[in-house]
Amino acid sequence: MEDNVIVTMRNISKEFPGVKALSNVDFTLRKGEIHALMGENGAGKSTLVKVLTGVHVKDSGVITVDGNTVNIRSPQDAQNAGISTVYQEITLCPNLTVAENIFIGRGKYCFVNHKEQEKKADEILESLNIPAKAKQQLGTCSLAVQQMIAIARAVDMQCKVLILDEPTSSLDEREVELLFTLMRELKSSGVGIIFITHFLEQVYEVCDRITVLRNGELVGEYEIKDMPQVELVSAMLGKNVEDISKLKDERKSSGADGSFVYEAHDLSSTEGVRPFDFALRKGEVNGFTGLLGSGRSESVRAIFAADRVTGGNVKVDGKEVKIKKPLDAMKNGIGYLPEDRKGDGIIPDLSVRENMLLAMQVLSGFWKPISRAEQEKFADEFIKVLNIKTASKETPIKSLSGGNQQKVILARWLLTHPKYLILDEPTRGIDVGTKVEIQKLVLKLAEDGVAVTFISSEIQEMLNVCSKLIVMRDRKIVGELTGNQLSQENIMNTIAGDSSKNER
C-alpha cells in the first residue's frame, strides 16, 4: 500500500501567537483517491493545507511527496513538488480568455504564440471534457466551468496533488455533478485530491477516505464506507450529536389551536413566480423545496415583498393586510433571513452590534433612536444566547466567520419578536456544529409559537426540521408532503412529476 502513497505529513505542528493551530498532526494521501479533510471552523484544516502549499511554514514535522522528503517554504516550492490548490474564490482573470488564464504567468507575455497556446488549451479542455473554448472570455463561463478551468490550469502544470477548498459552495446541483465528473476523471489518472467542504452529502458521494481534525489535533482517518454520517459529525464535534429529527418528532405541537399566522391567495411577483396559495399556522415549520431555479427563494421573497408583488391577497392573524414592501412585512411581524448573506444580509463595515440592531431600529423609526445602553444590552444578550464567537460586539461583522455572521442576522430578527420567520439557506457554507445549533434554534422557536419557513439545498436538513414541505418546479407549487410522506424519495418523485409513488 505504501507504493500507492503520494503525500505523507507526519507530526506537523504550527503555532501562532497565543494559538496552537496544529499539534503533531498526521495526514496521508494516496494516488488516485479523493480524500475529504473535515472539521469545524478552527479545527486546523486550513492551516494544514497552508503548510502543505507553503503559505505557512511548519514549526516541526516531516512532509514527503512520492517518498522524498520535501521542505516546502513557499507556494512556489509546493508547485515545484506538484501540489496545486483551487480556492473557493476563483483567482483567475475574467477579462482574459480561457487560454490566457490557463497559461498565465508562464514566460514573458510578449513572446507568447497565441495560436499554439489556444490549440494546446483546446486539447486540455477536450481531454478533461470541460465545456469551454480556448478563445472564450473567462467571464462568460459559469462559475462551475471557471472552477474547472482553474483545475485544468493546475493539471497542465503537472500537479500530482490537487487541493479543492470549498469548490461547490456557489454551484447548483447540475454544476456540482459536472465538477464531480472531472474529479473522478482526475482520480482515475492517478491524481490525489484533497477535498474540503461543509456539504456532508457530497463527501459521501465522491470521496474514498476522510481525515477528521478537531482543535488542531488529529481525531482519526477513516474509510468512507466505515464511517456513518452521524459518527462523522460526532467525531468533528467531539460529542454525540442529538438526532435533530427525533427532537422534531418529540416536541409538542405548538400549532394545536389551529390559528393561521399567515395566509396568501394568488400571490405573485415580478420575478416570475406563478400565482400561489400558501398558509402557515402558529408553531409550524414548513419548507419550500425544489431544484435550484424552481422558484423556492422567489416565493419567500414575494411573501416578504423583497421583490415587487404583482398580485394576491394576504391575511396576517386572520386580518387582510397590504404587504407591498419589506417594511410592511416587518410591521406585520414577518422576518426574513435572505439567501445571499453577503449581498442582502450583512453590512460588512458595521459592527456586530450595529448589524444586530438594524431591523429593530427600522421598526422603531428614524426619529426614535435606540439608546446606546439598550443597544449594548441587546447585543450582549444575543451574543450570549446564540453563542456568537466575536472578539467584541464592536467588531466589524466582516471579520466573523460565515456561521457567526448568520447568527447575527438571526439575532437581528429575533430582537423584533417575529410571528413568522423566513430562513432561506440559513446554514449554507457554515460548519456542522453551527448547523446543528441553528436547526435546534428553529425547533425551539416553533415550540415557542413562532411560525417558520425553512429553505435548504440539503434535503436531509429539511427533513430534520420541517413538518410540511412545499415542492416546487418551474416556479410553481407541484405538491405538498407531510407526515409519512416526508422522505427524500418522495421529494424527488414529486419534483420529477411522479407523485403516484408517494407513500400515503
Side-chain angles (χ1 to χ4, degrees):
M1 185 62 71
E2 285 300 315
D3 292 339
N4 204 32
V5 170
I6 189 169
V7 169
T8 66
M9 304 179 76
R10 295 289 178 262
N11 298 314
I12 303 297
S13 293
K14 179 65 183 177
E15 191 167 349
F16 299 102
V19 178
K20 186 79 170 177
L22 294 173
S23 181
N24 297 313
V25 171
D26 291 348
F27 178 79
T28 303
L29 179 68
R30 298 170 185 161
K31 295 177 183 177
E33 78 164 346
I34 302 175
H35 193 132
L37 184 58
M38 304 294 290
E40 287 203 276
N41 291 343
K45 306 187 302 291
S46 295
T47 305
L48 187 67
V49 164
K50 286 176 179 177
V51 165
L52 182 58
T53 56
V55 175
H56 295 323
V57 178
K58 60 184 168 52
D59 294 335
S60 61
V62 177
I63 300 173
T64 69
V65 177
D66 278 340
N68 300 312
T69 300
V70 293
N71 189 17
I72 299 175
R73 303 186 65 84
S74 70
Q76 187 63 51
D77 288 342
Q79 187 173 306
N80 293 340
I83 301 167
S84 293
T85 307
V86 176
Y87 295 100
Q88 176 180 358
E89 301 295 334
I90 297 167
T91 54
L92 300 179
C93 302
N95 59 314
L96 299 182
T97 67
V98 169
E100 287 168 337
N101 272 283
I102 290 176
F103 296 107
I104 194 169
R106 303 193 218 174
K108 295 185 178 179
Y109 186 79
C110 56
F111 296 113
V112 168
N113 184 325
H114 290 284
K115 285 189 177 180
E116 184 178 322
Q117 188 184 70
E118 289 165 359
K119 180 183 177 184
K120 188 175 180 184
D122 275 328
E123 289 172 356
I124 296 167
L125 295 168
E126 186 177 350
S127 69
L128 296 174
N129 293 315
I130 298 174
K133 295 295 183 184
K135 293 183 178 180
Q136 186 175 351
Q137 189 175 13
L138 183 73
T140 65
C141 301
S142 69
L143 283 175
V145 172
Q146 290 185 43
Q147 289 277 19
M148 291 179 188
I149 290 164
I151 293 171
R153 171 178 164 79
V155 170
D156 186 59
M157 296 171 77
Q158 284 78 51
C159 78
K160 303 170 184 176
V161 176
L162 179 63
I163 302 167
L164 299 177
D165 187 359
E166 296 284 357
T168 64
S169 59
S170 301
L171 308 184
D172 64 26
E173 290 91 339
R174 182 185 60 81
E175 291 174 328
V176 168
E177 194 49 52
L178 282 174
L179 182 62
F180 283 178
T181 298
L182 177 55
M183 289 168 64
R184 292 184 183 109
E185 288 177 4
L186 293 173
K187 167 186 167 179
S188 67
S189 70
V191 176
I193 299 174
I194 301 173
F195 183 45
I196 302 172
T197 182
H198 284 114
F199 295 105
L200 296 186
E201 291 176 3
Q202 294 179 5
V203 168
Y204 283 85
E205 181 176 348
V206 78
C207 293
D208 303 297
R209 289 191 303 144
I210 307 169
T211 289
V212 178
L213 303 181
R214 186 174 66 244
N215 298 327
E217 298 181 350
L218 175 67
V219 175
E221 181 184 285
Y222 312 93
E223 296 288 335
I224 198 85
K225 59 183 173 53
D226 299 329
M227 191 65 167
Q229 197 169 123
V230 68
E231 290 184 20
L232 172 58
V233 175
S234 295
M236 291 167 65
L237 298 180
K239 57 186 177 183
N240 290 329
V241 178
E242 290 180 273
D243 189 331
I244 297 294
S245 59
K246 288 183 180 178
L247 289 180
K248 178 186 75 172
D249 294 338
E250 291 170 2
R251 77 176 179 87
K252 297 177 181 178
S253 175
S254 303
D257 62 1
S259 61
F260 283 103
V261 172
Y262 179 91
E263 301 166 83
H265 178 65
D266 280 343
L267 191 65
S268 60
S269 77
T270 53
E271 294 305 304
V273 178
R274 302 191 194 186
F276 66 96
D277 295 345
F278 175 75
L280 191 66
R281 298 178 186 273
K282 179 182 178 182
E284 180 183 354
V285 182
N286 72 10
F288 284 84
T289 188
L291 301 178
L292 201 68
S294 61
R296 58 194 190 196
S297 293
E298 289 81 2
S299 296
V300 294
R301 287 179 65 86
I303 291 169
F304 191 69
D307 297 325
R308 189 167 68 84
V309 175
T310 54
N313 301 312
V314 172
K315 290 182 180 179
V316 173
D317 289 338
K319 298 178 181 178
E320 191 158 331
V321 296
K322 296 290 184 184
I323 298 180
K324 296 297 182 183
K325 57 184 182 294
L327 184 57
D328 296 336
M330 292 166 65
K331 287 180 177 178
N332 281 285
I334 303 173
Y336 169 56
L337 187 149
E339 178 183 22
D340 184 358
R341 175 174 63 232
K342 289 186 178 178
D344 296 334
I346 66 169
I347 300 179
D349 293 324
L350 294 188
S351 68
V352 169
R353 170 184 54 81
E354 290 165 324
N355 270 278
M356 201 180 285
L357 271 293
L358 280 174
M360 191 178 186
Q361 182 61 72
V362 167
L363 285 172
S364 177
F366 181 76
W367 302 109
K368 296 180 181 178
I370 301 168
S371 72
R372 182 61 179 260
E374 283 184 299
Q375 290 183 38
E376 292 184 353
K377 174 189 168 188
F378 290 135
D380 286 337
E381 177 185 350
F382 276 90
I383 286 171
K384 183 176 180 181
V385 167
L386 297 181
N387 191 27
I388 298 170
K389 293 182 174 63
T390 176
S392 156
K393 56 181 169 286
E394 302 308 320
T395 300
I397 195 172
K398 64 184 178 184
S399 301
L400 273 58
S401 69
N404 285 298
Q405 289 178 4
Q406 203 74 303
K407 288 181 182 180
V408 172
I409 304 173
L410 274 169
R412 175 189 299 168
W413 293 110
L414 295 180
L415 276 165
T416 68
H417 303 290
K419 303 172 185 175
Y420 174 26
L421 186 58
I422 301 167
L423 304 175
D424 192 354
E425 295 285 6
T427 65
R428 174 182 286 169
I430 63 179
D431 63 74
V432 174
T434 306
K435 283 188 179 188
V436 172
E437 287 182 45
I438 289 176
Q439 291 174 31
K440 288 171 67 176
L441 175 62
V442 168
L443 295 176
K444 177 64 169 62
L445 289 171
E447 187 75 32
D448 293 341
V450 179
V452 181
T453 291
F454 188 94
I455 296 176
S456 172
S457 298
E458 298 183 53
I459 291 177
Q460 187 56 52
E461 188 172 40
M462 300 278 281
L463 294 172
N464 284 349
V465 298
C466 297
S467 55
K468 178 194 291 184
L469 287 179
I470 296 149
V471 185
M472 300 199 69
R473 184 178 68 246
D474 300 329
R475 305 211 170 189
K476 67 178 179 180
I477 295 174
V478 293
E480 290 188 6
L481 302 175
T482 58
N484 293 333
Q485 299 171 329
L486 290 170
S487 70
Q488 291 203 28
E489 182 182 4
N490 286 343
I491 293 169
M492 299 315 295
N493 285 338
T494 307
I495 290 172
D498 190 1
S499 59
S500 63
K501 294 183 179 180
N502 293 349
E503 299 172 9
R504 298 290 174 183

